[in-house]
Amino acid sequence: MIRFFALFALGASLFGNAMADADRPVLVELFANQNCPACPKAHRTMKQIEAERDDVFILTWTVNYWDYLGEPDPMAMPAAKDRQMAYTDRLSLRAPYTPQSFYDGAKECPGTRKRDIRRNISKRMKLRQTEIPDLNWDAEAQELTLNGATEDALQVTVVEYLSGEANATQMVNPVTKIETHTPWTGGEAAYPIACETTCAALLHQEGIGEVLAVLPLN
């Protein structure tokens, strides 16, 4: 079994075994646009959070609804707006905005407020489930497997993002592509994955639901 790279500790893993909270990072998602005046500050904030913590995994989604304010953002994706709207509706928020950040799809705050960001991360670490299905990545076979049991339907979403030298933006892990697989209700499932850049798998409740785990596919 391939160990969860940087996110899951070396001893973590068969389904049914409790995982230490520190071994399962919180997924932090920032929604932004280049025409948003406050977004550069949010990008700097996320870089700082990423540098100072090892219990988070950050993705940046570029929405398209501010494109009318200037040049269309080349990183904008309709899927980013859809994802933000789904979170906003599920959490009964008034409206989406930028820069807005979500934590495992269950908490939110402006992406510039470090105190609120740290508070949300801490809350998610305390509230997350202690057991999850076994999610594994076989790099040689380029296959993701999911095995175990679940009371509610879950889904795997694979996101491609820019990182390292390939990321010429000021954003942390900007998303470039997304693919959501069919709902999973238990047993064993295998997903062939072909990544053009860098990918991560999100295990979450059905639809754009609460995120249970994130696994980089390196």
Side-chain angles (χ1 to χ4, degrees), residues 84-129:
Q84 187 183 22
M85 287 296 298
Y87 281 161
T88 298
D89 291 343
R90 184 162 51 78
L91 297 181
S92 299
L93 304 175
R94 178 178 296 180
Y97 61 90
T98 57
Q100 185 176 29
S101 58
F102 289 87
Y103 302 81
D104 287 339
K107 296 286 185 180
E108 74 87 37
C109 70
T112 54
R113 295 183 182 173
K114 295 178 185 177
R115 177 181 295 182
D116 292 341
I117 290 170
R118 295 186 177 107
R119 182 184 297 117
N120 280 335
I121 293 169
S122 296
K123 286 181 178 178
R124 289 307 304 162
M125 293 301 295
K126 293 177 182 178
L127 293 174
R128 67 189 327 137
Q129 296 181 21

